[in-house]
Amino acid sequence: MAGSETRDRLTADVYDIPRRRAFVELGDDDLARLAALRPLAEAHIDRLVDDFYELLLGQPDTRRFFPDAHVIERVKRSQRAYFLGLFDGKVDEAYVDDRLRVGAVHERIGLAPKWYLGAYRRQLRLLLDLLFSGVPDPVEARAAFASLQKLVFFDMTLAIDAYIVARDDALERHQTALRELSTPVIRVHHGVLLLPLVGTVDSLRAEQVMDTVLVRIVEEQARVLILDIAGVPVVDTRVAEHLLQTTQAVRLLGCEAILTGISAHVARTLVQLGVEIATMPTRARLAEGIELALAIVGKRIAPAGAGAGSAAEHAGPDGAGRA
Amino acid sequence: MRPVEVGHRGGERAPRSTRLLGRHELPIACEADIVLVRRKARSLAQAYGFDAFATAAITTAASELARNCWVHGGGGAAVVEELYDGTRHGLAMEFRDTGPGIGDVEWALAGGHSTTRSLGLGLSGSRRLVDEFALETARGEGTTVRIVKWKRF
Ligand SMILES: Nc1ncnc2c1ncn2[C@@H]1O[C@H](COP(=O)(O)OP(=O)(O)OP(=O)(O)O)[C@@H](O)[C@H]1O
Ligand SMILES: [Mg+2]
């Protein structure tokens, strides 16, 4: 999952490998030093991985991420690859991708950064033991550990960035969903659509609303659009402009716009603001707007039992009524 | 900054002894902040028992001026003050930015003019919606607009 999608979203910054490396002072000599220790790592890898999972499985906060033996087997394999990767002696884009994937996966399964970072402490401890027991010269061992530390911190910065990007992605998806949810275009009758505007009309939502509405008008071959603003708390020039622009665009598609849901104080506020919306038919209440809309498409609401007895609407002769 | 004072409506200037009951400073650093500013205006107006129209008026003016502060002034802050002049409650709101300033105040206040191809009614309209309106601006230094709405009986 993280491969292309997350990668696309990550800024060029993440792939600015030289800059990141420079900050943690990770040089080619560090990588070479680690590569020389690969045989040592390979010789002890199983014990390393087992020790590490002893911690993760022993703590309730992390235990729950490993429900069965099958999962444990799989994560142990990737941990093994991770440990050995530290001794590969190279840091390229594939390496970065891999670290980013780790962060993204952790975010997705809900493993919080505090546990991820906390677990790293144990990894470092195990690697420290490995180097000091496996490298005879203490000066050499120290240098090796310093190199390893740089690489590990390089990894952590990437994983944290991946966490953040994955979280941003999730938030953005929710917001998109919400925005779509908050633009319900309702089909009132054949040729009549209703758009109840609710809440704040910010620039993004204004665009979204416009797009959704225009597409629906074409789809439904609507002839009338009712814009109901009863749910908009503040009708300022921004909202007024949005209404006027929507009306204009809607008219280009051969559709009439009717404005409803204007309260007395909103009407007065609009007059004082100097906003001119008299160009579009307006009705105080939605019900009146619907009557007007039906009249425009040549229908009307009649009392039950009248004529053929259909409860709702009758075809009226050529748009009879009060348009 | 050379102040450009713009007159008040209806001689409703507060008497000398206006008391400050509360003060709130809100940043205007993104579009969403505009909503927070006008919500503050609305909730205070309602708390002081302003009628529906006065509440809509101060809330709408707050929305316009906060948006101008953000769109034209590049952001700044809003300061909301709860006032009492001995007989009635009022709300003052001051919008400050350190943007380009308004080059031609008369032009901007005439209504129908905009440098962003918008309706150009925010500034002039807000002025009509409130009891006191004072604008200070200087080119290259910024703009401050202060409005007051008093509660009617
Ligand atoms: N804080 C400010 N800083 C700089 N220029 C401003 C500021 N406020 C208003 N202006 C100028 O005054 C003009 C008129 O403002 P006004 O609010 O009336 O209209 P608008 O913001 O352009 O459109 P809208 O009708 O959507 O509010 C603006 O186009 C802008 O050039
Ligand atoms: Mg404006």
Side-chain angles (χ1 to χ4, degrees):
Chain A
M1 151 218 167
S4 74
E5 204 178 297
T6 305
R7 189 174 159 160
D8 284 350
R9 297 208 146 272
L10 284 168
T11 52
D13 159 73
V14 170
Y15 286 92
D16 193 348
I17 300 173
R19 199 159 136 217
R20 282 188 179 247
R21 276 183 61 171
F23 194 77
V24 294
E25 300 178 282
L26 177 65
D28 287 339
D29 53 334
D30 291 305
L31 295 178
R33 189 175 289 121
L34 292 172
L37 291 168
R38 178 150 181 139
L40 175 71
E42 276 172 354
H44 295 89
I45 188 68
D46 291 330
R47 192 175 44 76
L48 256 161
V49 171
D50 285 343
D51 276 1
F52 183 53
Y53 274 88
E54 196 187 283
L55 168 79
L56 297 185
L57 297 174
Q59 303 266 356
D61 284 309
T62 40
R63 176 78 186 91
R64 63 193 180 87
F65 291 103
F66 311 104
D68 55 50
H70 176 72
V71 171
I72 295 174
E73 199 42 53
R74 188 162 46 79
V75 291
K76 274 190 172 180
R77 262 202 312 277
S78 56
Q79 186 63 42
R80 191 188 156 90
Y82 174 73
F83 272 138
L84 291 176
L86 294 171
F87 300 92
D88 269 350
K90 77 173 182 264
V91 170
D92 51 14
E93 286 204 5
Y95 184 97
V96 171
D97 277 346
D98 194 59
R99 299 314 183 251
L100 293 174
R101 209 194 57 243
V102 170
V105 167
H106 285 169
E107 160 67 25
R108 197 184 55 212
I109 64 171
L111 177 72
K114 60 188 165 196
W115 308 129
Y116 163 75
L117 290 174
Y120 241 120
R121 201 270 322 153
R122 168 70 75 105
Q123 290 195 43
L124 279 173
R125 172 70 215 222
L126 294 171
L127 291 161
L128 178 78
D129 289 347
L130 172 77
L131 295 176
F132 277 85
S133 61
V135 180
D137 177 4
V139 177
E140 265 295 297
R142 233 182 108 94
F145 185 67
S147 297
L148 192 81
Q149 215 175 29
K150 294 173 185 179
L151 188 55
V152 162
F153 273 84
F154 176 81
D155 287 359
M156 287 197 286
T157 66
L158 288 169
I160 293 300
D161 275 356
Y163 260 111
I164 293 170
V165 170
R167 177 69 55 99
D168 283 354
D169 273 353
L171 270 176
E172 204 178 297
R173 277 198 303 278
H174 286 145
Q175 272 174 357
T176 309
L178 256 180
R179 255 183 247 123
E180 266 158 29
L181 273 178
S182 52
T183 316
V185 182
I186 299 157
R187 186 177 175 279
V188 176
H189 186 80
H190 184 71
V192 179
L193 293 179
L194 165 65
L195 171 66
L197 285 170
V198 183
T200 301
V201 182
D202 61 22
S203 323
L204 245 169
R205 261 205 72 207
E207 254 174 60
Q208 171 103 27
V209 166
M210 175 90 88
D211 288 352
T212 313
V213 149
L214 297 180
V215 168
R216 280 295 297 278
I217 286 176
V218 173
E219 276 174 8
E220 304 266 342
Q221 299 182 308
R223 286 178 52 204
V224 190
L225 170 72
I226 304 171
L227 286 153
D228 185 73
I229 58 166
V232 180
V234 179
V235 184
D236 59 4
T237 58
R238 185 75 197 76
V239 176
E241 198 181 11
H242 172 54
L243 294 174
L244 291 172
Q245 283 178 353
T246 308
T247 311
Q248 266 183 11
V250 160
R251 282 194 180 144
L252 282 177
L253 296 176
C255 181
E256 260 310 303
I258 297 173
L259 188 62
T260 66
I262 305 171
S263 66
H265 56 267
V266 166
R268 224 173 121 188
T269 308
L270 281 175
V271 168
Q272 294 216 322
L273 270 180
V275 173
E276 188 60 65
I277 44 175
T279 49
M280 59 201 291
T282 58
R283 291 290 182 271
R285 290 181 309 119
L286 177 58
E288 297 167 314
I290 291 177
E291 277 177 31
L292 174 57
L294 289 175
I296 292 172
V297 296
K299 301 283 167 78
R300 73 188 165 85
I301 297 174
S310 112
E313 67 274 325
H314 279 264
D318 61 305
R322 22 177 311 202
Chain B
M1 188 184 286
R2 197 171 60 84
V4 181
E5 271 281 334
V6 175
H8 309 280
R9 269 183 72 241
E12 300 207 47
R13 186 115 220 211
R16 330 94 284 184
S17 58
T18 300
R19 272 206 297 148
L20 184 62
L21 303 180
R23 188 175 183 282
H24 316 264
E25 184 158 350
L26 303 151
I28 301 176
C30 63
E31 195 182 6
D33 285 341
I34 299 168
V35 177
L36 299 183
V37 169
R38 70 182 189 218
R39 273 206 200 137
K40 190 83 204 170
R42 176 196 296 278
S43 73
L44 285 172
Q46 283 170 344
Y48 279 108
F50 280 51
D51 63 49
F53 173 60
T55 303
I58 184 86
T59 311
T60 307
S63 185
E64 294 297 345
L65 298 173
R67 179 165 289 105
N68 281 356
C69 175
W70 167 242
V71 173
H72 307 298
V79 177
V80 191
E81 291 177 349
E82 303 163 39
L83 306 178
Y84 185 65
D85 74 352
T87 48
R88 57 193 180 155
H89 287 282
L91 285 178
M93 298 188 84
E94 193 166 295
F95 302 84
R96 309 172 181 152
D97 65 65
T98 49
I102 303 178
D104 186 342
V105 175
E106 246 176 70
W107 178 85
L109 273 171
H113 303 296
S114 171
T115 47
T116 51
R117 299 172 69 207
S118 193
L119 293 176
L121 296 170
L123 205 57
S124 54
S126 308
R127 188 182 176 188
R128 283 189 292 269
L129 285 168
V130 297
D131 300 315
E132 293 172 28
F133 183 99
L135 189 150
E136 256 184 54
T137 185
R139 257 183 213 258
E141 284 175 40
T143 303
T144 299
V145 180
R146 183 182 165 86
I147 55 173
V148 184
K149 184 88 183 166
W150 293 103
K151 185 186 167 183
R152 252 161 276 277
F153 303 98

